[in-house]
Structures are given as structure tokens and as C-alpha cells.
Amino acid sequence: MHQAPADPTIGELSEGEILARIAARTGRAASAIVGPGDDAAVVAALSGSVVATTDTLVHGPDFRLAWSSGYDLGWKAAAVNLADVAAMGARPTALLVALAMPNDTRVSFVEALADGLRDACDALAPGCAVVGGDLTVSATLTVAVTALGDLEGRQAVLRSGAREGDVVAVAGELGVAARGLSVLFDRFRDASGSPVPVDPARLGAGEADILRGQLRPSPPIGLGPMAATAGAHAMMDVSDGLGLDARRMADASDVTIDLMAATLGPDVVSAIEGGEDHALLATFADDVLPPGFRAIGRVVARGEAPLLVDGRPYAGPGGWDPYRDWDSVSG
Amino acid sequence: MHQAPADPTIGELSEGEILARIAARTGRAASAIVGPGDDAAVVAALSGSVVATTDTLVHGPDFRLAWSSGYDLGWKAAAVNLADVAAMGARPTALLVALAMPNDTRVSFVEALADGLRDACDALAPGCAVVGGDLTVSATLTVAVTALGDLEGRQAVLRSGAREGDVVAVAGELGVAARGLSVLFDRFRDASGSPVPVDPARLGAGEADILRGQLRPSPPIGLGPMAATAGAHAMMDVSDGLGLDARRMADASDVTIDLMAATLGPDVVSAIEGGEDHALLATFADDVLPPGFRAIGRVVARGEAPLLVDGRPYAGPGGWDPYRDWDSVSG
């Protein structure tokens, strides 16, 4: 009889066998009426609408396998999508995961990825889980996640709702993920610039947490629905950097946003220009903010510049655009 | 002032500029409460649940650019996902599209892809449209689509519901897409085996239609909800070949499916083994089938073999498994 290798590649198993191994690890969504295994999933949407978003991680521009484990990758792919649902004021209910992987990918890697998806849901959005997905062969490892959510009767909070006089507030980290990426790029590449695995012995004080912010971000998903309940006028997640995303909110709302540098921590440039933390950026009419949010600025009348810092136009780059900044290194 | 090239690559434009060009072409979903442009879309789900599925097309295993235009690719990516929604008995309401593309992809290609997505929705599932998406840079062109749908109060029709005595029926083509793939592989490759563009002058009678079945399939999406209303016991779409998918239905339902070869057209092997038509396979208690469905067999008590043809176990391969059959040719 055929003896299965201890850790086969996905090319050695059928699609059905791989899907069964993933489904055994990802748990069940509380809202799932029909879970994985049919043509499609059916998810409860009791309030009569569904929030839906999709975001993809691609090997090369979005992660390097020398730095990210399968678990990290699954966690991050879940977290970035959960944040987009939360930023509408919705509670995440379900994930769909499209995996495109080289044939020589180890099944243990795929299983770790499934564990990361599950644990991110359990930690950040309890009740949410994978309800379906798709497997494809590809030369480039790609994880495309779609997240669904329920507004539970709340109005969706758009990025276009900021009003003059609003307090600008944020919940979650700013700049930590970018500092983590700097640690990786500056210290864990070889002479040719290729990524090499992180050696924990070479990390300074606090750097393990900073790296975790990059590889396994934990945005405050539960605060999205709370902000909506508290009457947030506008909300979005900070995926490409506070500067760029605050400009987007200002443009969508036809206002100017004035940030206070003193509220942005010791490393103001990282806080404004660093992406990938997926903090929640929101505006509120009231100075009394919901728990977890801190004031970082004020909405003012639309001026020439969409973004000010301490009343002056911010001259630095606004954030990270994957189409402009990709350096094409994989590894 | 900077003069934009007539047909720039996506590397020459910002993510926002590309998204605006796509959004200008994809129309608006009738069910969209919040459409593209925010962190997530909001789609009506009036009956209190949402059907959701995801399926990915990857350059190489799933399509070749010498054979598929951007328009073909958009059409097919929509069609295969709409079929999964229809196979649950639901009406498709919205698509989310995650595009991962090489930096040198022409914007005209992306625009044609958007046109194909829109036209497939308009033709196959009126009211459905793209409500959101994601753009990423990748070495491998990848189109991951998530489709949402509404059961409108109907019960979801699962693949596990077939009962002994049911009529097995199908709506849509069987084997046409596979014959189209054969035309491409047999006649439109160069001496080294690489795909070359189709020369219409070299197509025989009817072959243009057969190619269209492969490159731009038109599954009978509207018949999915009709089958559910008519009381279908089980339903799924035939994506990997009738043989393999009927076996899956038989296994999920713990029955055996007995197909009648005489109902499968002149090319029985193509009909049983050819994938990618996305016909709807369903079982009904009654011999009176809903319009558009034709009887192709009978559900019998579970025997040793899940699949029979004319009462005898079918010996041929059951269909197409992308993990086993990928030949790694791109082009």
C-alpha cells in the first residue's frame, strides 16, 4: 500500500485531501448555516445586509517566506480583512480563503496557515471562522481572503462622513508594523539583499513585539462596532499609513484633517508614514471618545491641503503605495 | 506637464487610478448599499442570509494569455463563481474581485477584464455587479473572485440531498469546454508546445462556439433558483467533469448515481470527463423537470461504486484535478 510521506507536498495530495486537512483546523463560524464542502457557504445576515471585503497577500510584495511562517501568513491575511470589516462598524462573521500555491508547498505549511487563520479569528473576532475557499496551483504563493460581516442594525460608517469640528481619533498601533519591517530589512538580509530568517538572539529589547506587529498584527476589531454604536461620523482602517489614509478620508469627506504631532508618540514619522498596522481611524462629534480611542487631531474646514500636522501642510510622503514601492525582492 | 502614455502599464499608474478605471466600467449592483471605494462593500441580504463562494483563475493552470483575452478572463472569472451561487439555489447579487498582476500589465487589459466581468453579470445574472476588490502586484496574473447571493427565502440546495429514486438531471452544456480546450491544445501551439493565438481562419464549422464554451462559458445561472423553487433535492455545478462531480454528489448523499449514456450526446467521454462547463447537476423526486433541465440518470441505492453508466461501474477517470494534471505550461 502507498505510504504517505510524513510531510507531503500539496502536489502529492488531491485537492480534496488538502481541503479536508484545512477544514479540520479552521473551526466553525457561529453564523455559518452551510459551512465548507458545498458549492458555496451560507452565512446568517440577520440584519438584512452583509459587509464584504477582499484583500490579498502575495509572495514578494506582501511577505517573504524567510520572515513569515505559514502561521504568521494565515494570521495576517485574516487580520487585515477583519480590520476592513470592523472599519465599517460591522462584526466579522466569516472568511473565504483562496489559496494559490506552488506544487512543492509542504502540507505542514498549509496546516500552519490554517491555524493562523483560526487563531486570528478566535483572538480578534470571536465567532468568525473560515466558511469556504478555493485551492489552485500557482507559481506565486497568494492568499486572497474575503471577509463578511454583520452591521447588526447599525448604519455603516463610511470614510466620507467626517465633519468640520469633529475630533479625529485612533484605536490601535501606529507605526509599529513599519518599524518591524525596518528591523527585517535592515538586519535580516544577506549580503545580496535576500531575506534570511530572524535570529531571536539578535533582537534588542522590545523588538520581538515590534516584529510581531509586522508579521502578526492585532488590530482592535471589536472597537469598530463600538465606534459605530458611539456615533462615529467617519471610520477607516489605516492600512497604507496614517498620512495617506487620513488624506483619503479628508478627500472623501471634503474636509481637512489636522493632526497633533504630540499625540503620535516619539517616532512621528513612523506613525504618519508607516502602513500595515490596521489601526482604526475615526472621527466623532464629541470630545468624549469611546474606550480604546485616543484623540490625535481635529477636522477643520477644507483648505488647500487635505492633511495638516500642527496646522501646517505635511510635506512628507503620505504612505505606502504597493504599485510605486515594490522592489520585486521575493525570498 | 506629465503626459500619460496612451496605454500605460499598471506600474505607471497609482492603485487609485487603476481602481477608478475599473469602477468606471463595472456598473452598480442592484443590491449594493455601499459600493466600491470604502473599506468594504455593504450588500442587501433581505432574506437574512448570504451565499458566498470564491474561485480563482491563475495564469498557467487556469488560462493562457495567448488564448484568453482580458475580456475572456473577466467573463470566465465571473461565470464560474456565479455558477457556484446558482448551484445553491441562490440569485447572485455581488462580486468582489482580487486582482494580482505583474507590473507590466497594460491598463487596456485590465479594462477589458472589467468589461468581461460586467458583461458576464449582465448576461448571466442581471442585477449582479462588482461591489469591491483589491489590487496587488504579483509575478503571476491571478484573478480571485468572490460571489455573493441571496436565497430569497428558499432553502439552500446541497449536494448531500439526493435520494434513492430521484431523477438525475442537468441544465447547460456537458463537454463543450473540454472540447474547446482540446482544439486549443491540439491546434494552437507551436513546435515547442507553447500556446499561440487562435487564427479564426483555421477553425472548422462550429468550432468558434466550442472555443467560446471554454473561454467564455455561459452556465444557466437563472435555472439554479428555479430548480430550488421546483424542489430540487440536491444540486451542484459541474466544474471538474460530470463523472467526478456526480461521484461527489453520490458520496455526499450516500447513494449511487446511474447515468444513461444515450442522454449524454454523441461524445459520451467528453460529456463525462470534461470539466469547466459549469452546468447545473440536480436531482428531483419527480419525473416532471423544471424547464431547462433534461434527465440524464437515476439515483439508486448506494452500491459499491458511487457512479454507474447504464448500470455498470464507470471505469474511466472521473474528471480533472488541478493538482494532479497541471502541466506547468504558461504562455
Side-chain angles (χ1 to χ4, degrees), chain A residues 81-115:
Chain A
N81 279 284
L82 296 172
D84 279 324
V85 170
M88 302 299 285
R91 183 179 55 79
T93 52
L95 302 182
L96 295 106
V97 182
L99 291 174
M101 300 178 288
N103 246 328
D104 62 359
T105 306
R106 292 275 163 201
V107 165
S108 60
F109 181 90
V110 181
E111 290 177 335
L113 196 155
D115 289 344

Side-chain angles (χ1 to χ4, degrees), chain B residues 170-200:
Chain B
V170 76
E173 309 279 9
L174 289 176
V176 174
R179 285 162 60 206
L181 195 62
S182 292
V183 169
L184 293 170
F185 265 84
D186 295 348
R187 306 237 302 276
F188 296 101
R189 293 199 292 171
D190 63 20
S192 71
S194 293
V196 297
V198 172
D199 174 1

Side-chain angles (χ1 to χ4, degrees), chain B:
Chain B
M1 198 185 139
H2 171 72
Q3 168 101 38
D7 186 9
T9 67
I10 61 165
E12 294 171 319
L13 298 181
S14 74
E15 188 174 2
E17 288 169 309
I18 303 163
L19 286 171
R21 285 177 183 238
I22 294 174
R25 306 178 93 91
T26 49
R28 188 167 176 92
S31 301
I33 299 167
V34 176
D38 219 291
D39 293 78
V42 184
V43 179
L46 294 178
S47 65
S49 72
V50 63
V51 170
T53 185
T54 188
D55 211 350
T56 304
L57 300 183
V58 177
H59 185 209
D62 296 316
F63 63 89
R64 315 293 159 93
L65 288 171
W67 294 334
S68 289
S69 67
Y71 184 90
D72 292 338
L73 189 55
W75 179 292
K76 187 165 180 169
V80 304
N81 279 284
L82 297 173
D84 280 326
V85 170
M88 302 300 284
R91 183 178 56 79
T93 52
L95 302 182
L96 295 106
V97 181
L99 290 174
M101 300 178 288
N103 246 327
D104 62 359
T105 306
R106 292 274 163 202
V107 165
S108 60
F109 181 90
V110 182
E111 290 177 335
L113 196 155
D115 290 343
L117 287 163
R118 179 198 62 224
D119 287 355
C121 287
D122 287 351
L124 305 176
C128 181
V130 174
V131 295
D134 179 48
L135 290 180
T136 328
V137 180
S138 175
T140 306
L141 178 58
T142 305
V143 185
V145 172
T146 297
L148 306 180
D150 196 340
L151 284 163
E152 301 173 322
R154 292 178 294 273
Q155 284 283 314
V157 185
L158 308 185
R159 53 180 70 179
S160 55
R163 299 177 207 163
E164 193 182 335
D166 279 0
V167 177
V168 178
V170 76
E173 309 279 9
L174 289 176
V176 174
R179 285 162 60 206
L181 195 62
S182 292
V183 169
L184 293 170
F185 265 84
D186 295 348
R187 306 237 302 276
F188 296 101
R189 293 199 292 171
D190 63 20
S192 71
S194 293
V196 297
V198 172
D199 174 1
R202 289 176 52 206
L203 292 176
E207 287 186 341
D209 286 344
I210 289 169
L211 277 187
R212 198 176 306 115
Q214 162 59 222
L215 299 174
R216 225 182 280 174
S218 290
I221 305 304
L223 298 185
M226 283 182 58
T229 301
H233 284 166
M235 186 154 55
M236 65 189 295
D237 88 314
V238 181
S239 51
D240 295 334
L242 176 62
L244 188 58
D245 286 327
R247 279 191 184 118
R248 288 174 176 151
M249 181 180 277
D251 286 341
S253 301
D254 197 25
V255 296
T256 285
I257 287 177
D258 188 4
L259 301 176
M260 299 175 290
T263 64
L264 298 176
D267 185 349
V268 174
V269 172
S270 283
I272 293 181
E273 296 179 13
E276 297 195 277
D277 291 304
H278 302 280
L280 295 175
L281 174 68
T283 80
F284 298 91
D286 201 334
D287 280 342
V288 182
L289 299 175
F293 281 86
R294 57 193 189 276
I296 59 165
R298 187 65 77 169
V299 179
V300 300
R302 179 68 178 194
E304 218 166 300
L307 180 67
L308 310 175
V309 176
D310 294 336
R312 293 207 301 243
Y314 183 68
W320 187 75
D321 182 331
Y323 283 84
R324 297 243 182 253
D325 302 336
W326 187 40
D327 68 359
S328 85
V329 177
S330 289

